[in-house]
Amino acid sequence: MAYLGNPKNTIEVLQKYQFHFQKRYGQNFLIDGNVLERIIAAAEITGEDCVLEIGPGIGTMTQYLAEAAREVAAVEIDRNLIPILEDTLSGYRNVTVINEDILNVDMEKLAREKNGGRPLKVVANLPYYITTPIVMKLFESQVPLKSVTLMVQKEVADRMQAGPGTKDYGALSLAVQYYASPRVVAHVPPNCFIPRPNVGSAVIRLTRYEEPPVPAEDEKKMFALIRASFRQRRKTLANGLGNAPELAVTRQQTAAALEKLGLSPEIRGEMLTLEQFARLSNLL
Ligand code: SAM
């Protein structure tokens, strides 16, 4: 089977199977060989690696992954794509296609079965409608991960690597940066896909930390605090947290804790670093 990473071969496969794109599954297939090579290079796939691909589509990136990795597990929700994948990946013995919603997959079990419990590398051109739930599931589950290299909407990549005091900084920035070190490796225009998405895209590599970078005694509590802080962006942090019933902290308690950290009681949440959120959560 010829490589799919170009318009001609992709259209040929789509026509052969009379495939209809499903908008609800965020289907935009890559048709640019250069972008595919950059994704594989950024993910640093070696012949030792077991890769989890989320949403293989017609198998375009899967072909590249299968050639670089020892083993690939590709999880695709759309059952209409399964016969196509059987065809386009028929030349590879090291690929397993799983017809499932990634949010329902037991990834720990997958890592055990496919990689003896050693860390997986995740590579995906993600369906944009569920980027955040997928990223959070990857990090919050106990699945061992080395890195996660993703094509996402450009604005989401910006949010993932934003720092305090910027408009893109928020709960997603802090969640990603608690688990991983983010680095945008490419910007990708809409004409690299069929059909073209309405937004610009970016490839971002998230390298998983082995140890958390900040001393949060209770991660769940810290993230509840972070979410509440950004829910009311325009309010001071002390007021925002005081208004969040799930936290049961008063405005005065927050103001006192902020003072202990050497911060103004009038500060807004968007000014705090991840480390300051961790210390605040420990104090509260
Ligand atoms: N990897 C292919 C490529 O680069 O050309 C396709 C990428 S396309 C942006 C996203 C793929 O994810 C589609 O094939 C879509 O059917 C699949 N998908 C959408 N939601 C999914 C889910 N919840 N679980 C697994 N796959 C999903």
Side-chain angles (χ1 to χ4, degrees), residues 24-30 36 53-62 75-78 81 100-103 124-130 134 193:
R24 70 188 163 125
Y25 289 149
Q27 293 174 338
N28 301 95
F29 298 160
L30 265 169
L36 285 153
E53 186 189 7
I54 301 165
I58 59 170
T60 309
M61 193 156 69
T62 326
V75 178
E76 174 55 61
I77 197 170
D78 185 353
L81 287 166
E100 185 61 272
D101 181 337
I102 188 65
L103 296 178
N125 172 12
L126 280 186
Y128 295 169
Y129 74 106
I130 45 166
I134 292 177
F193 304 86

PDB file of all heavy atoms in Angstrom, residues 24-30 36 53-62 75-78 81 100-103 124-130 134 193, ligand 1:
ATOM      1  N   ARG A  24     -18.993  14.951  13.626  1.00  0.00           N
ATOM      2  CA  ARG A  24     -19.057  14.801  15.098  1.00  0.00           C
ATOM      3  C   ARG A  24     -17.819  14.100  15.644  1.00  0.00           C
ATOM      4  O   ARG A  24     -17.564  14.093  16.831  1.00  0.00           O
ATOM      5  CB  ARG A  24     -20.325  14.057  15.506  1.00  0.00           C
ATOM      6  CG  ARG A  24     -20.308  12.597  15.107  1.00  0.00           C
ATOM      7  CD  ARG A  24     -21.656  11.934  15.348  1.00  0.00           C
ATOM      8  NE  ARG A  24     -21.714  10.709  14.595  1.00  0.00           N
ATOM      9  CZ  ARG A  24     -21.970   9.538  15.121  1.00  0.00           C
ATOM     10  NH1 ARG A  24     -22.204   9.416  16.408  1.00  0.00           N
ATOM     11  NH2 ARG A  24     -22.008   8.467  14.360  1.00  0.00           N
ATOM     12  N   TYR A  25     -17.046  13.431  14.789  1.00  0.00           N
ATOM     13  CA  TYR A  25     -15.822  12.772  15.250  1.00  0.00           C
ATOM     14  C   TYR A  25     -14.570  13.603  14.973  1.00  0.00           C
ATOM     15  O   TYR A  25     -13.453  13.118  15.129  1.00  0.00           O
ATOM     16  CB  TYR A  25     -15.659  11.397  14.604  1.00  0.00           C
ATOM     17  CG  TYR A  25     -16.625  10.352  15.091  1.00  0.00           C
ATOM     18  CD1 TYR A  25     -17.054   9.330  14.246  1.00  0.00           C
ATOM     19  CD2 TYR A  25     -17.089  10.355  16.411  1.00  0.00           C
ATOM     20  CE1 TYR A  25     -17.932   8.354  14.682  1.00  0.00           C
ATOM     21  CE2 TYR A  25     -17.973   9.390  16.855  1.00  0.00           C
ATOM     22  CZ  TYR A  25     -18.389   8.389  15.983  1.00  0.00           C
ATOM     23  OH  TYR A  25     -19.247   7.428  16.429  1.00  0.00           O
ATOM     24  N   GLY A  26     -14.739  14.832  14.525  1.00  0.00           N
ATOM     25  CA  GLY A  26     -13.573  15.698  14.313  1.00  0.00           C
ATOM     26  C   GLY A  26     -12.607  15.134  13.280  1.00  0.00           C
ATOM     27  O   GLY A  26     -11.393  15.126  13.506  1.00  0.00           O
ATOM     28  N   GLN A  27     -13.136  14.667  12.161  1.00  0.00           N
ATOM     29  CA  GLN A  27     -12.272  14.001  11.177  1.00  0.00           C
ATOM     30  C   GLN A  27     -11.655  14.973  10.177  1.00  0.00           C
ATOM     31  O   GLN A  27     -12.329  15.491   9.297  1.00  0.00           O
ATOM     32  CB  GLN A  27     -13.079  12.910  10.448  1.00  0.00           C
ATOM     33  CG  GLN A  27     -13.446  11.783  11.403  1.00  0.00           C
ATOM     34  CD  GLN A  27     -14.350  10.735  10.820  1.00  0.00           C
ATOM     35  OE1 GLN A  27     -15.061  10.977   9.855  1.00  0.00           O
ATOM     36  NE2 GLN A  27     -14.347   9.553  11.418  1.00  0.00           N
ATOM     37  N   ASN A  28     -10.363  15.222  10.330  1.00  0.00           N
ATOM     38  CA  ASN A  28      -9.586  16.007   9.372  1.00  0.00           C
ATOM     39  C   ASN A  28      -8.299  15.227   9.148  1.00  0.00           C
ATOM     40  O   ASN A  28      -7.479  15.117  10.062  1.00  0.00           O
ATOM     41  CB  ASN A  28      -9.267  17.402   9.936  1.00  0.00           C
ATOM     42  CG  ASN A  28     -10.540  18.176  10.284  1.00  0.00           C
ATOM     43  OD1 ASN A  28     -10.984  18.157  11.434  1.00  0.00           O
ATOM     44  ND2 ASN A  28     -11.125  18.824   9.317  1.00  0.00           N
ATOM     45  N   PHE A  29      -8.145  14.674   7.973  1.00  0.00           N
ATOM     46  CA  PHE A  29      -7.026  13.761   7.741  1.00  0.00           C
ATOM     47  C   PHE A  29      -5.824  14.509   7.173  1.00  0.00           C
ATOM     48  O   PHE A  29      -5.961  15.360   6.277  1.00  0.00           O
ATOM     49  CB  PHE A  29      -7.449  12.631   6.794  1.00  0.00           C
ATOM     50  CG  PHE A  29      -8.572  11.776   7.345  1.00  0.00           C
ATOM     51  CD1 PHE A  29      -9.354  10.995   6.496  1.00  0.00           C
ATOM     52  CD2 PHE A  29      -8.841  11.730   8.707  1.00  0.00           C
ATOM     53  CE1 PHE A  29     -10.386  10.201   6.994  1.00  0.00           C
ATOM     54  CE2 PHE A  29      -9.871  10.942   9.223  1.00  0.00           C
ATOM     55  CZ  PHE A  29     -10.649  10.183   8.361  1.00  0.00           C
ATOM     56  N   LEU A  30      -4.658  14.161   7.667  1.00  0.00           N
ATOM     57  CA  LEU A  30      -3.416  14.823   7.233  1.00  0.00           C
ATOM     58  C   LEU A  30      -3.036  14.394   5.821  1.00  0.00           C
ATOM     59  O   LEU A  30      -3.097  13.201   5.488  1.00  0.00           O
ATOM     60  CB  LEU A  30      -2.281  14.448   8.187  1.00  0.00           C
ATOM     61  CG  LEU A  30      -2.005  15.432   9.314  1.00  0.00           C
ATOM     62  CD1 LEU A  30      -1.062  14.811  10.327  1.00  0.00           C
ATOM     63  CD2 LEU A  30      -1.428  16.736   8.773  1.00  0.00           C
ATOM     64  N   LEU A  36       3.924  15.188   8.690  1.00  0.00           N
ATOM     65  CA  LEU A  36       3.976  13.851   9.309  1.00  0.00           C
ATOM     66  C   LEU A  36       5.393  13.540   9.788  1.00  0.00           C
ATOM     67  O   LEU A  36       5.587  13.054  10.905  1.00  0.00           O
ATOM     68  CB  LEU A  36       3.506  12.803   8.299  1.00  0.00           C
ATOM     69  CG  LEU A  36       1.990  12.828   8.102  1.00  0.00           C
ATOM     70  CD1 LEU A  36       1.596  12.325   6.724  1.00  0.00           C
ATOM     71  CD2 LEU A  36       1.324  11.993   9.184  1.00  0.00           C
ATOM     72  N   GLU A  53      -1.577   5.373  19.393  1.00  0.00           N
ATOM     73  CA  GLU A  53      -2.104   6.427  18.527  1.00  0.00           C
ATOM     74  C   GLU A  53      -3.599   6.568  18.779  1.00  0.00           C
ATOM     75  O   GLU A  53      -4.335   5.572  18.767  1.00  0.00           O
ATOM     76  CB  GLU A  53      -1.866   6.123  17.040  1.00  0.00           C
ATOM     77  CG  GLU A  53      -2.315   7.324  16.196  1.00  0.00           C
ATOM     78  CD  GLU A  53      -2.350   7.127  14.690  1.00  0.00           C
ATOM     79  OE1 GLU A  53      -2.151   6.002  14.217  1.00  0.00           O
ATOM     80  OE2 GLU A  53      -2.627   8.112  13.988  1.00  0.00           O
ATOM     81  N   ILE A  54      -4.039   7.806  18.978  1.00  0.00           N
ATOM     82  CA  ILE A  54      -5.466   8.061  19.199  1.00  0.00           C
ATOM     83  C   ILE A  54      -6.053   8.580  17.889  1.00  0.00           C
ATOM     84  O   ILE A  54      -5.578   9.579  17.355  1.00  0.00           O
ATOM     85  CB  ILE A  54      -5.664   9.090  20.334  1.00  0.00           C
ATOM     86  CG1 ILE A  54      -5.025   8.567  21.616  1.00  0.00           C
ATOM     87  CG2 ILE A  54      -7.149   9.402  20.537  1.00  0.00           C
ATOM     88  CD1 ILE A  54      -4.839   9.642  22.680  1.00  0.00           C
ATOM     89  N   GLY A  55      -7.050   7.883  17.351  1.00  0.00           N
ATOM     90  CA  GLY A  55      -7.720   8.324  16.120  1.00  0.00           C
ATOM     91  C   GLY A  55      -6.858   8.184  14.879  1.00  0.00           C
ATOM     92  O   GLY A  55      -6.434   9.183  14.295  1.00  0.00           O
ATOM     93  N   PRO A  56      -6.596   6.957  14.426  1.00  0.00           N
ATOM     94  CA  PRO A  56      -5.748   6.771  13.239  1.00  0.00           C
ATOM     95  C   PRO A  56      -6.393   7.205  11.926  1.00  0.00           C
ATOM     96  O   PRO A  56      -5.687   7.362  10.927  1.00  0.00           O
ATOM     97  CB  PRO A  56      -5.469   5.258  13.227  1.00  0.00           C
ATOM     98  CG  PRO A  56      -6.615   4.661  13.981  1.00  0.00           C
ATOM     99  CD  PRO A  56      -6.972   5.664  15.031  1.00  0.00           C
ATOM    100  N   GLY A  57      -7.718   7.406  11.898  1.00  0.00           N
ATOM    101  CA  GLY A  57      -8.372   7.814  10.641  1.00  0.00           C
ATOM    102  C   GLY A  57      -8.226   6.713   9.599  1.00  0.00           C
ATOM    103  O   GLY A  57      -8.625   5.567   9.831  1.00  0.00           O
ATOM    104  N   ILE A  58      -7.629   7.044   8.452  1.00  0.00           N
ATOM    105  CA  ILE A  58      -7.412   5.998   7.427  1.00  0.00           C
ATOM    106  C   ILE A  58      -6.005   5.400   7.557  1.00  0.00           C
ATOM    107  O   ILE A  58      -5.569   4.645   6.687  1.00  0.00           O
ATOM    108  CB  ILE A  58      -7.653   6.531   5.994  1.00  0.00           C
ATOM    109  CG1 ILE A  58      -6.721   7.721   5.676  1.00  0.00           C
ATOM    110  CG2 ILE A  58      -9.107   6.913   5.792  1.00  0.00           C
ATOM    111  CD1 ILE A  58      -6.748   8.134   4.201  1.00  0.00           C
ATOM    112  N   GLY A  59      -5.285   5.764   8.606  1.00  0.00           N
ATOM    113  CA  GLY A  59      -3.991   5.111   8.867  1.00  0.00           C
ATOM    114  C   GLY A  59      -2.781   5.882   8.354  1.00  0.00           C
ATOM    115  O   GLY A  59      -1.679   5.330   8.293  1.00  0.00           O
ATOM    116  N   THR A  60      -2.977   7.158   8.023  1.00  0.00           N
ATOM    117  CA  THR A  60      -1.892   7.945   7.432  1.00  0.00           C
ATOM    118  C   THR A  60      -0.670   8.005   8.353  1.00  0.00           C
ATOM    119  O   THR A  60       0.433   7.621   7.970  1.00  0.00           O
ATOM    120  CB  THR A  60      -2.404   9.379   7.153  1.00  0.00           C
ATOM    121  OG1 THR A  60      -3.627   9.277   6.429  1.00  0.00           O
ATOM    122  CG2 THR A  60      -1.393  10.179   6.380  1.00  0.00           C
ATOM    123  N   MET A  61      -0.878   8.477   9.569  1.00  0.00           N
ATOM    124  CA  MET A  61       0.259   8.607  10.493  1.00  0.00           C
ATOM    125  C   MET A  61       0.662   7.238  11.035  1.00  0.00           C
ATOM    126  O   MET A  61       1.826   7.003  11.362  1.00  0.00           O
ATOM    127  CB  MET A  61      -0.128   9.547  11.634  1.00  0.00           C
ATOM    128  CG  MET A  61       1.053   9.984  12.450  1.00  0.00           C
ATOM    129  SD  MET A  61       0.716  11.534  13.265  1.00  0.00           S
ATOM    130  CE  MET A  61      -0.518  11.020  14.443  1.00  0.00           C
ATOM    131  N   THR A  62      -0.299   6.328  11.096  1.00  0.00           N
ATOM    132  CA  THR A  62      -0.020   4.980  11.603  1.00  0.00           C
ATOM    133  C   THR A  62       1.076   4.308  10.771  1.00  0.00           C
ATOM    134  O   THR A  62       1.929   3.605  11.312  1.00  0.00           O
ATOM    135  CB  THR A  62      -1.315   4.127  11.550  1.00  0.00           C
ATOM    136  OG1 THR A  62      -2.434   4.977  11.802  1.00  0.00           O
ATOM    137  CG2 THR A  62      -1.271   3.017  12.566  1.00  0.00           C
ATOM    138  N   VAL A  75      -6.259   3.435  18.418  1.00  0.00           N
ATOM    139  CA  VAL A  75      -7.643   3.364  18.894  1.00  0.00           C
ATOM    140  C   VAL A  75      -8.516   4.294  18.059  1.00  0.00           C
ATOM    141  O   VAL A  75      -8.324   5.515  18.067  1.00  0.00           O
ATOM    142  CB  VAL A  75      -7.720   3.760  20.390  1.00  0.00           C
ATOM    143  CG1 VAL A  75      -9.160   3.733  20.873  1.00  0.00           C
ATOM    144  CG2 VAL A  75      -6.845   2.836  21.233  1.00  0.00           C
ATOM    145  N   GLU A  76      -9.483   3.729  17.344  1.00  0.00           N
ATOM    146  CA  GLU A  76     -10.342   4.501  16.439  1.00  0.00           C
ATOM    147  C   GLU A  76     -11.805   4.247  16.780  1.00  0.00           C
ATOM    148  O   GLU A  76     -12.256   3.112  16.835  1.00  0.00           O
ATOM    149  CB  GLU A  76     -10.047   4.093  14.986  1.00  0.00           C
ATOM    150  CG  GLU A  76     -10.965   4.704  13.939  1.00  0.00           C
ATOM    151  CD  GLU A  76     -11.026   6.235  13.980  1.00  0.00           C
ATOM    152  OE1 GLU A  76      -9.989   6.877  13.799  1.00  0.00           O
ATOM    153  OE2 GLU A  76     -12.133   6.781  14.215  1.00  0.00           O
ATOM    154  N   ILE A  77     -12.566   5.319  16.957  1.00  0.00           N
ATOM    155  CA  ILE A  77     -13.972   5.193  17.371  1.00  0.00           C
ATOM    156  C   ILE A  77     -14.893   4.818  16.204  1.00  0.00           C
ATOM    157  O   ILE A  77     -15.909   4.138  16.391  1.00  0.00           O
ATOM    158  CB  ILE A  77     -14.455   6.516  18.025  1.00  0.00           C
ATOM    159  CG1 ILE A  77     -15.734   6.319  18.826  1.00  0.00           C
ATOM    160  CG2 ILE A  77     -14.647   7.618  16.988  1.00  0.00           C
ATOM    161  CD1 ILE A  77     -16.117   7.523  19.694  1.00  0.00           C
ATOM    162  N   ASP A  78     -14.569   5.275  14.993  1.00  0.00           N
ATOM    163  CA  ASP A  78     -15.502   5.165  13.852  1.00  0.00           C
ATOM    164  C   ASP A  78     -15.360   3.792  13.187  1.00  0.00           C
ATOM    165  O   ASP A  78     -14.354   3.497  12.544  1.00  0.00           O
ATOM    166  CB  ASP A  78     -15.176   6.289  12.857  1.00  0.00           C
ATOM    167  CG  ASP A  78     -16.159   6.329  11.704  1.00  0.00           C
ATOM    168  OD1 ASP A  78     -17.018   5.418  11.600  1.00  0.00           O
ATOM    169  OD2 ASP A  78     -16.058   7.279  10.888  1.00  0.00           O
ATOM    170  N   LEU A  81     -14.213   3.148   9.604  1.00  0.00           N
ATOM    171  CA  LEU A  81     -12.799   3.255   9.223  1.00  0.00           C
ATOM    172  C   LEU A  81     -12.055   1.927   9.400  1.00  0.00           C
ATOM    173  O   LEU A  81     -10.949   1.762   8.879  1.00  0.00           O
ATOM    174  CB  LEU A  81     -12.112   4.348  10.052  1.00  0.00           C
ATOM    175  CG  LEU A  81     -12.480   5.784   9.662  1.00  0.00           C
ATOM    176  CD1 LEU A  81     -12.035   6.786  10.726  1.00  0.00           C
ATOM    177  CD2 LEU A  81     -11.841   6.156   8.321  1.00  0.00           C
ATOM    178  N   GLU A 100     -12.727   1.533  19.396  1.00  0.00           N
ATOM    179  CA  GLU A 100     -13.230   1.908  20.716  1.00  0.00           C
ATOM    180  C   GLU A 100     -13.132   3.421  20.871  1.00  0.00           C
ATOM    181  O   GLU A 100     -12.345   4.073  20.172  1.00  0.00           O
ATOM    182  CB  GLU A 100     -12.341   1.172  21.742  1.00  0.00           C
ATOM    183  CG  GLU A 100     -12.690   1.284  23.193  1.00  0.00           C
ATOM    184  CD  GLU A 100     -14.055   0.757  23.559  1.00  0.00           C
ATOM    185  OE1 GLU A 100     -14.996   1.580  23.466  1.00  0.00           O
ATOM    186  OE2 GLU A 100     -14.184  -0.413  23.933  1.00  0.00           O
ATOM    187  N   ASP A 101     -13.929   3.959  21.773  1.00  0.00           N
ATOM    188  CA  ASP A 101     -13.786   5.360  22.172  1.00  0.00           C
ATOM    189  C   ASP A 101     -12.589   5.431  23.123  1.00  0.00           C
ATOM    190  O   ASP A 101     -12.562   4.715  24.132  1.00  0.00           O
ATOM    191  CB  ASP A 101     -15.083   5.778  22.891  1.00  0.00           C
ATOM    192  CG  ASP A 101     -15.060   7.229  23.341  1.00  0.00           C
ATOM    193  OD1 ASP A 101     -13.957   7.789  23.508  1.00  0.00           O
ATOM    194  OD2 ASP A 101     -16.150   7.784  23.558  1.00  0.00           O
ATOM    195  N   ILE A 102     -11.619   6.279  22.836  1.00  0.00           N
ATOM    196  CA  ILE A 102     -10.400   6.331  23.672  1.00  0.00           C
ATOM    197  C   ILE A 102     -10.741   6.608  25.137  1.00  0.00           C
ATOM    198  O   ILE A 102     -10.050   6.133  26.041  1.00  0.00           O
ATOM    199  CB  ILE A 102      -9.386   7.382  23.136  1.00  0.00           C
ATOM    200  CG1 ILE A 102      -8.040   7.299  23.886  1.00  0.00           C
ATOM    201  CG2 ILE A 102      -9.932   8.797  23.204  1.00  0.00           C
ATOM    202  CD1 ILE A 102      -7.269   6.054  23.715  1.00  0.00           C
ATOM    203  N   LEU A 103     -11.842   7.339  25.364  1.00  0.00           N
ATOM    204  CA  LEU A 103     -12.199   7.662  26.753  1.00  0.00           C
ATOM    205  C   LEU A 103     -12.661   6.416  27.520  1.00  0.00           C
ATOM    206  O   LEU A 103     -12.717   6.431  28.745  1.00  0.00           O
ATOM    207  CB  LEU A 103     -13.277   8.758  26.800  1.00  0.00           C
ATOM    208  CG  LEU A 103     -12.839  10.117  26.225  1.00  0.00           C
ATOM    209  CD1 LEU A 103     -13.987  11.111  26.272  1.00  0.00           C
ATOM    210  CD2 LEU A 103     -11.627  10.687  26.962  1.00  0.00           C
ATOM    211  N   ALA A 124      -0.778  11.631  18.396  1.00  0.00           N
ATOM    212  CA  ALA A 124      -2.133  11.733  17.853  1.00  0.00           C
ATOM    213  C   ALA A 124      -2.374  13.052  17.139  1.00  0.00           C
ATOM    214  O   ALA A 124      -1.897  14.093  17.572  1.00  0.00           O
ATOM    215  CB  ALA A 124      -3.159  11.595  18.982  1.00  0.00           C
ATOM    216  N   ASN A 125      -3.085  12.954  16.053  1.00  0.00           N
ATOM    217  CA  ASN A 125      -3.715  14.119  15.439  1.00  0.00           C
ATOM    218  C   ASN A 125      -5.128  14.096  16.022  1.00  0.00           C
ATOM    219  O   ASN A 125      -5.985  13.359  15.557  1.00  0.00           O
ATOM    220  CB  ASN A 125      -3.683  13.949  13.919  1.00  0.00           C
ATOM    221  CG  ASN A 125      -4.492  15.007  13.201  1.00  0.00           C
ATOM    222  OD1 ASN A 125      -4.905  15.998  13.788  1.00  0.00           O
ATOM    223  ND2 ASN A 125      -4.741  14.769  11.923  1.00  0.00           N
ATOM    224  N   LEU A 126      -5.321  14.845  17.098  1.00  0.00           N
ATOM    225  CA  LEU A 126      -6.520  14.667  17.928  1.00  0.00           C
ATOM    226  C   LEU A 126      -7.793  15.184  17.275  1.00  0.00           C
ATOM    227  O   LEU A 126      -7.759  16.184  16.546  1.00  0.00           O
ATOM    228  CB  LEU A 126      -6.355  15.405  19.251  1.00  0.00           C
ATOM    229  CG  LEU A 126      -5.532  14.753  20.340  1.00  0.00           C
ATOM    230  CD1 LEU A 126      -5.629  15.597  21.608  1.00  0.00           C
ATOM    231  CD2 LEU A 126      -5.966  13.332  20.632  1.00  0.00           C
ATOM    232  N   PRO A 127      -8.924  14.521  17.578  1.00  0.00           N
ATOM    233  CA  PRO A 127     -10.211  15.146  17.262  1.00  0.00           C
ATOM    234  C   PRO A 127     -10.371  16.333  18.208  1.00  0.00           C
ATOM    235  O   PRO A 127     -10.302  16.173  19.432  1.00  0.00           O
ATOM    236  CB  PRO A 127     -11.217  14.033  17.583  1.00  0.00           C
ATOM    237  CG  PRO A 127     -10.510  13.090  18.511  1.00  0.00           C
ATOM    238  CD  PRO A 127      -9.045  13.229  18.253  1.00  0.00           C
ATOM    239  N   TYR A 128     -10.539  17.546  17.654  1.00  0.00           N
ATOM    240  CA  TYR A 128     -10.461  18.750  18.486  1.00  0.00           C
ATOM    241  C   TYR A 128     -11.608  18.875  19.483  1.00  0.00           C
ATOM    242  O   TYR A 128     -11.478  19.546  20.490  1.00  0.00           O
ATOM    243  CB  TYR A 128     -10.370  20.009  17.597  1.00  0.00           C
ATOM    244  CG  TYR A 128      -9.089  20.070  16.777  1.00  0.00           C
ATOM    245  CD1 TYR A 128      -8.922  20.996  15.759  1.00  0.00           C
ATOM    246  CD2 TYR A 128      -8.034  19.200  17.036  1.00  0.00           C
ATOM    247  CE1 TYR A 128      -7.742  21.049  15.002  1.00  0.00           C
ATOM    248  CE2 TYR A 128      -6.860  19.239  16.291  1.00  0.00           C
ATOM    249  CZ  TYR A 128      -6.722  20.164  15.280  1.00  0.00           C
ATOM    250  OH  TYR A 128      -5.567  20.210  14.541  1.00  0.00           O
ATOM    251  N   TYR A 129     -12.740  18.185  19.207  1.00  0.00           N
ATOM    252  CA  TYR A 129     -13.893  18.375  20.107  1.00  0.00           C
ATOM    253  C   TYR A 129     -13.660  17.772  21.493  1.00  0.00           C
ATOM    254  O   TYR A 129     -14.385  18.105  22.432  1.00  0.00           O
ATOM    255  CB  TYR A 129     -15.179  17.803  19.476  1.00  0.00           C
ATOM    256  CG  TYR A 129     -15.266  16.282  19.481  1.00  0.00           C
ATOM    257  CD1 TYR A 129     -16.116  15.603  20.355  1.00  0.00           C
ATOM    258  CD2 TYR A 129     -14.481  15.523  18.620  1.00  0.00           C
ATOM    259  CE1 TYR A 129     -16.185  14.225  20.361  1.00  0.00           C
ATOM    260  CE2 TYR A 129     -14.543  14.146  18.626  1.00  0.00           C
ATOM    261  CZ  TYR A 129     -15.393  13.495  19.493  1.00  0.00           C
ATOM    262  OH  TYR A 129     -15.439  12.134  19.499  1.00  0.00           O
ATOM    263  N   ILE A 130     -12.694  16.859  21.625  1.00  0.00           N
ATOM    264  CA  ILE A 130     -12.462  16.291  22.970  1.00  0.00           C
ATOM    265  C   ILE A 130     -10.986  16.346  23.376  1.00  0.00           C
ATOM    266  O   ILE A 130     -10.520  15.496  24.140  1.00  0.00           O
ATOM    267  CB  ILE A 130     -12.963  14.830  23.109  1.00  0.00           C
ATOM    268  CG1 ILE A 130     -12.566  13.981  21.903  1.00  0.00           C
ATOM    269  CG2 ILE A 130     -14.423  14.764  23.421  1.00  0.00           C
ATOM    270  CD1 ILE A 130     -12.737  12.493  22.166  1.00  0.00           C
ATOM    271  N   ILE A 134      -9.307  14.165  26.680  1.00  0.00           N
ATOM    272  CA  ILE A 134      -8.306  13.133  26.360  1.00  0.00           C
ATOM    273  C   ILE A 134      -6.993  13.430  27.088  1.00  0.00           C
ATOM    274  O   ILE A 134      -6.403  12.545  27.719  1.00  0.00           O
ATOM    275  CB  ILE A 134      -8.067  13.039  24.833  1.00  0.00           C
ATOM    276  CG1 ILE A 134      -9.308  12.480  24.131  1.00  0.00           C
ATOM    277  CG2 ILE A 134      -6.862  12.144  24.526  1.00  0.00           C
ATOM    278  CD1 ILE A 134      -9.207  12.414  22.611  1.00  0.00           C
ATOM    279  N   PHE A 193      -4.805  19.440   5.590  1.00  0.00           N
ATOM    280  CA  PHE A 193      -5.807  18.426   5.955  1.00  0.00           C
ATOM    281  C   PHE A 193      -6.906  18.330   4.892  1.00  0.00           C
ATOM    282  O   PHE A 193      -7.204  19.311   4.215  1.00  0.00           O
ATOM    283  CB  PHE A 193      -6.512  18.803   7.262  1.00  0.00           C
ATOM    284  CG  PHE A 193      -5.620  19.027   8.446  1.00  0.00           C
ATOM    285  CD1 PHE A 193      -5.028  20.263   8.683  1.00  0.00           C
ATOM    286  CD2 PHE A 193      -5.384  17.999   9.350  1.00  0.00           C
ATOM    287  CE1 PHE A 193      -4.224  20.472   9.797  1.00  0.00           C
ATOM    288  CE2 PHE A 193      -4.583  18.210  10.466  1.00  0.00           C
ATOM    289  CZ  PHE A 193      -4.001  19.446  10.686  1.00  0.00           C
TER     290      PHE A 193
HETATM  291  N1  SAM B   1      -4.753  10.328  12.433  1.00  0.00           N
HETATM  292  C1  SAM B   1      -5.515  10.655  11.238  1.00  0.00           C
HETATM  293  C2  SAM B   1      -4.760  11.658  10.402  1.00  0.00           C
HETATM  294  O1  SAM B   1      -3.864  12.301  10.954  1.00  0.00           O
HETATM  295  O2  SAM B   1      -5.054  11.813   9.238  1.00  0.00           O
HETATM  296  C3  SAM B   1      -6.907  11.163  11.608  1.00  0.00           C
HETATM  297  C4  SAM B   1      -6.996  12.344  12.536  1.00  0.00           C
HETATM  298  S1  SAM B   1      -8.601  13.029  12.753  1.00  0.00           S
HETATM  299  C5  SAM B   1      -8.208  14.673  13.221  1.00  0.00           C
HETATM  300  C6  SAM B   1      -9.189  12.389  14.310  1.00  0.00           C
HETATM  301  C7  SAM B   1      -9.520  10.905  14.331  1.00  0.00           C
HETATM  302  O3  SAM B   1      -9.953  10.546  15.655  1.00  0.00           O
HETATM  303  C8  SAM B   1     -10.644  10.510  13.397  1.00  0.00           C
HETATM  304  O4  SAM B   1     -10.276   9.353  12.706  1.00  0.00           O
HETATM  305  C9  SAM B   1     -11.821  10.216  14.346  1.00  0.00           C
HETATM  306  O5  SAM B   1     -12.747   9.272  13.834  1.00  0.00           O
HETATM  307  C10 SAM B   1     -11.098   9.716  15.575  1.00  0.00           C
HETATM  308  N2  SAM B   1     -11.847   9.891  16.845  1.00  0.00           N
HETATM  309  C11 SAM B   1     -12.741  10.858  17.162  1.00  0.00           C
HETATM  310  N3  SAM B   1     -13.187  10.704  18.423  1.00  0.00           N
HETATM  311  C12 SAM B   1     -12.551   9.623  18.932  1.00  0.00           C
HETATM  312  C13 SAM B   1     -12.604   8.946  20.192  1.00  0.00           C
HETATM  313  N4  SAM B   1     -13.393   9.383  21.184  1.00  0.00           N
HETATM  314  N5  SAM B   1     -11.839   7.838  20.366  1.00  0.00           N
HETATM  315  C14 SAM B   1     -11.031   7.391  19.352  1.00  0.00           C
HETATM  316  N6  SAM B   1     -10.957   7.987  18.146  1.00  0.00           N
HETATM  317  C15 SAM B   1     -11.695   9.089  17.937  1.00  0.00           C
END
